[in-house]
């Protein structure tokens, strides 16, 4: 026997609840939300039910159940011990009233489904009593999939639909438009702050930071957008664990510098972003760390802006934060200094080198990106600029990844260090200069840290 699924309009209809303990109370709120005319019959009631009665949200009759309580009722819920529930069920049945005897499936004409409530969007789940546990799990999964923002989204869709029906419109065009408005892309636009479901159907680019490698360091937003991507263009820094999160339906292109035989130029990446977006695709430009830190994001944004293509930046956890976490240090420490600077050892042709004197005088931490192969040079420059030879440094390779390495050295030790596996980041500065760490750094020069 299969159940007949319905959503009933109970507004103003008389509904009887027998029993006002905690189980009864748990059955009442959904009835009140649907504006049913609720009568509760029970000698005693929970504080909440008594309060709702005092507030006239329901009527509480403080005595035992009598068969005539059923007169005129649309539904009855028996939240009482089994023998009493059986009697109520039989009386209700004789009168043709549907009855729910809590916890007694054989005496239920209807069930309370597990429900995902998002305003006017309701998703109800039933297993016909076979597995309430499964129903709960499905509810939780659906709640994650359809977040609270769906309440507003559904309301918006409702008003857009009303407007379309009010306007003279070809029914076929209207039907098509309504489907488009309810589509995944339109929702995505809405969820990212563009409240108009109309602005939906064009392609768009998301510049997404994927964090330093651990897939759990992806933001929820990044994960959600990845799930909606038609095309994903990623660089070399992306770990296989993160790439696995891209749905099979998306086209994945590695555009990293080290990929394949042919080097893909920045111009070519910009061209692909534009072409795919103009074709109406949802394009994710996926970068390691935070895309706006040493990630050429501004060149891509310029290219998109000049083509009139909308884009959204989704920030990520930058490598310096990942490295600090791996090394167990804070990037700033007000007791030791007041600055944190992100630097790179690489630079565009024609750009001046960093002002090493300023870095040496910083009184804080310098996080040096892309130090690979330049360690000795960097150490030399910083010492010449005035940093003491035993300034503690931490090199973190593959931060937040399974094979991460944390190496503590002094600045002079850095000169003799073999280049660690890529990607690696170099942290230099006062924050790490407590005496115990310094001692360890001296001992450890060139070796894996034994701090943790
Ligand atoms: N946009 C990235 C940085 C890109 S530049 C971010 O915000 O993190 C590339 C450099 O980042 C690498 O050479 C290395 O210095 C650093 N890096 C990226 N991921 C790293 C990781 N997991 N561990 C250590 N360094 C990393």
């Amino acid at each position: 026997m299969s159940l007949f699924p319905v959503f009933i309009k109970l507004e103003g209809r008389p509904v009887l609840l027998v029993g006002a303990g905690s189980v009864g109370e748990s059955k009442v709120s959904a009835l009140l939300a649907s504006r049913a005319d609720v009568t509760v019959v029970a000698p005693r009631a929970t504080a909440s039910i008594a309060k709702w009665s005092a507030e006239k949200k329901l009527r509480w009759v403080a005595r035992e159940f009598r068969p005539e309580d059923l007169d005129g009722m649309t539904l009855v819920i028996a939240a009482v011990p089994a023998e009493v529930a059986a009697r109520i069920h039989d009386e209700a049945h004789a009168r043709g009233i549907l009855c729910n005897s809590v916890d007694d499936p054989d005496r239920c004409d209807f069930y309370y489904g597990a429900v995902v409530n998002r305003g006017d969007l309701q998703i109800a789940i039933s297993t016909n009593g076979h597995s309430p546990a499964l129903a709960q799990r499905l509810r939780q999964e659906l709640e994650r999939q359809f977040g609270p923002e769906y309440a507003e989204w559904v309301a918006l869709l409702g008003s857009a639909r009303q407007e379309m029906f009010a306007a003279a419109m070809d029914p076929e065009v209207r039907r098509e438009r309504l489907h488009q408005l309810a589509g995944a892309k339109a929702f995505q636009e809405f969820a990212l702050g563009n409240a108009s479901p109309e602005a939906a159907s064009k392609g768009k680019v998301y510049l997404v930071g994927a964090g330093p490698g651990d897939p759990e360091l992806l933001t929820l937003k990044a994960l959600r957008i990845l799930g909606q991507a038609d095309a994903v263009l990623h660089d070399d820094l992306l770990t296989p664990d993160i790439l696995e999160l891209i749905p099979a339906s998306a086209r994945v292109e590695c555009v990293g510098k080290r990929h394949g035989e042919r080097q893909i130029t920045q111009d070519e990446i910009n061209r692909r972003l534009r072409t795919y977006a103009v074709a109406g695709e949802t394009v994710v430009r996926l970068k390691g760390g935070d895309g706006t830190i040493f990630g050429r994001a501004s060149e891509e944004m310029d290219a998109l802006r000049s083509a009139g293509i909308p884009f959204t930046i989704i920030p990520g956890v930058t490598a310096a934060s990942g490295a600090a976490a791996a090394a167990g240090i804070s990037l700033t420490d007000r007791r030791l200094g007041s600055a944190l600077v992100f630097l790179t050892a690489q630079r565009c042709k024609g750009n001046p080198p960093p002002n090493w004197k300023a870095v040496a005088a910083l009184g804080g931490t310098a996080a040096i990106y892309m130090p690979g192969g330049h360690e000795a040079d960097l150490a030399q420059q910083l010492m010449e600029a005035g940093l003491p030879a035993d300034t503690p440094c931490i090199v973190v390779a593959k931060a937040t990844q399974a094979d991460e390495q944390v190496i503590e050295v002094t600045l002079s030790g850095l000169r003799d260090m073999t280049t660690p596996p890529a990607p690696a980041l170099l942290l230099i500065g006062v924050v790490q200069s407590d005496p115990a760490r310094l001692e360890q750094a001296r001992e450890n020069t060139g070796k894996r840290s034994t701090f943790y």
Side-chain angles (χ1 to χ4, degrees):
M1 179 215 38
S2 67
L3 298 175
F4 178 56
V6 282
F7 288 91
I8 306 176
K9 287 183 182 168
L10 275 184
E11 183 170 6
R13 290 188 178 270
V15 173
L16 177 65
L17 170 69
V18 186
S22 55
V23 178
E25 181 182 314
S26 71
K27 302 290 166 188
V28 149
S29 18
L31 293 173
L32 292 179
S34 64
R35 305 225 189 107
D37 175 13
V38 179
T39 301
V40 180
V41 173
R44 281 168 303 282
T46 63
S48 299
I49 292 185
K51 179 168 154 274
W52 292 327
S53 164
E55 292 167 358
K56 305 239 174 321
K57 291 188 175 145
L58 50 75
R59 194 169 33 263
W60 171 31
V61 183
R63 58 159 171 75
E64 299 290 349
F65 165 76
R66 293 179 199 149
E68 59 268 30
D69 292 332
L70 289 165
D71 293 343
M73 290 295 163
T74 305
L75 297 173
V76 57
I77 291 126
V80 284
E83 333 73 76
V84 193
R87 191 157 65 84
I88 296 170
H89 176 264
D90 294 347
E91 294 277 358
H93 210 250
R95 289 168 159 80
I97 301 168
L98 299 176
C99 177
N100 173 286
S101 309
V102 175
D103 287 338
D104 186 357
D106 290 341
R107 292 203 170 79
C108 279
D109 302 310
F110 66 92
Y111 299 119
Y112 272 67
V115 180
V116 179
N117 267 311
R118 300 297 185 218
D120 283 331
L121 172 69
Q122 288 186 297
I123 309 172
I125 302 148
S126 158
T127 60
N128 199 356
H130 289 303
S131 176
L134 173 63
Q136 286 299 335
R137 177 167 77 77
L138 293 179
R139 178 176 61 78
Q140 284 162 1
E141 282 180 18
L142 289 168
E143 272 175 351
R144 276 194 291 274
Q145 193 175 347
F146 302 100
E149 64 277 15
Y150 268 82
E152 196 189 335
W153 170 238
V154 170
L156 259 172
L157 287 179
S159 43
R161 183 169 183 274
Q162 262 180 359
E163 276 168 29
M164 275 190 219
F165 273 89
M169 202 172 186
D170 174 33
E172 194 46 38
V173 174
R174 181 172 58 216
R175 201 187 61 81
E176 203 172 292
R177 193 77 196 106
L178 286 172
H179 276 279
Q180 204 172 25
L181 290 185
K185 271 189 195 144
F187 173 73
Q188 191 179 311
E189 283 292 334
F190 161 80
L192 286 165
N194 185 346
S196 147
E198 292 288 343
S201 45
K202 277 186 277 141
K204 176 163 180 173
V205 176
Y206 292 92
L207 301 167
V208 178
D214 177 351
E216 293 200 322
L217 292 177
L218 225 67
T219 62
L220 293 176
K221 199 169 246 189
L223 189 62
R224 183 161 61 72
I225 294 304
L226 267 185
Q228 293 161 3
D230 296 310
V232 178
L233 281 71
H234 68 87
D235 58 22
D236 294 316
L237 284 172
L238 275 291
T239 56
D241 288 348
I242 291 179
L243 296 178
E244 250 175 44
L245 298 171
I246 303 173
S249 55
R251 196 173 66 254
V252 182
E253 296 179 16
C254 178
V255 294
K257 286 189 279 311
R258 285 183 288 276
H259 178 70
E261 320 271 283
R262 193 171 61 97
Q263 179 150 338
I264 296 173
T265 61
Q266 188 59 49
D267 280 346
E268 170 64 11
I269 298 172
N270 297 350
R271 191 193 64 74
R272 289 191 199 179
L273 293 175
R274 284 194 305 254
T275 312
Y276 301 160
V278 167
E281 289 190 328
T282 296
V283 186
V284 171
R285 175 72 176 103
L286 191 62
K287 290 162 191 261
D290 180 284
T292 68
I293 296 174
F294 306 130
R296 302 188 178 194
S298 44
E299 288 158 58
E300 293 173 2
M301 289 190 277
D302 285 348
L304 295 169
R305 257 190 219 106
S306 65
I309 292 165
F311 63 84
T312 295
I313 300 174
I314 299 177
V317 175
T318 191
S321 301
I329 61 153
S330 170
L331 285 174
T332 65
D333 183 334
R334 63 176 185 160
R335 297 165 302 183
L336 299 169
S338 55
L340 166 65
V341 60
F342 292 169
L343 288 172
T344 172
Q346 305 282 341
R347 57 196 164 91
C348 234
K349 258 198 199 116
N351 279 358
N355 180 343
W356 295 117
K357 280 213 162 68
V359 176
L362 190 65
T365 300
I368 304 189
Y369 288 68
M370 297 179 262
H374 305 272
E375 289 87 352
D377 216 28
L378 283 166
Q380 190 61 38
Q381 308 252 35
L382 283 164
M383 285 192 286
E384 278 168 18
L387 269 189
D390 63 355
T391 304
C393 305
I394 302 181
V395 178
V396 183
K398 300 190 164 192
T400 81
Q401 299 172 23
D403 47 353
E404 79 184 8
Q405 288 185 36
V406 181
I407 304 151
E408 312 230 359
V409 288
T410 57
L411 201 50
S412 60
L414 196 63
R415 279 186 307 195
D416 313 318
M417 210 180 87
T418 45
T419 297
L425 187 112
L426 173 59
L427 295 168
I428 301 179
V430 293
V431 166
Q432 300 128 52
S433 66
D434 78 77
R437 293 201 75 128
L438 186 53
E439 192 50 42
Q440 189 81 47
R442 284 198 191 107
E443 276 177 27
N444 264 4
T445 289
K447 285 191 252 131
R448 186 170 187 342
S449 167
T450 50
F451 265 96
Y452 306 103

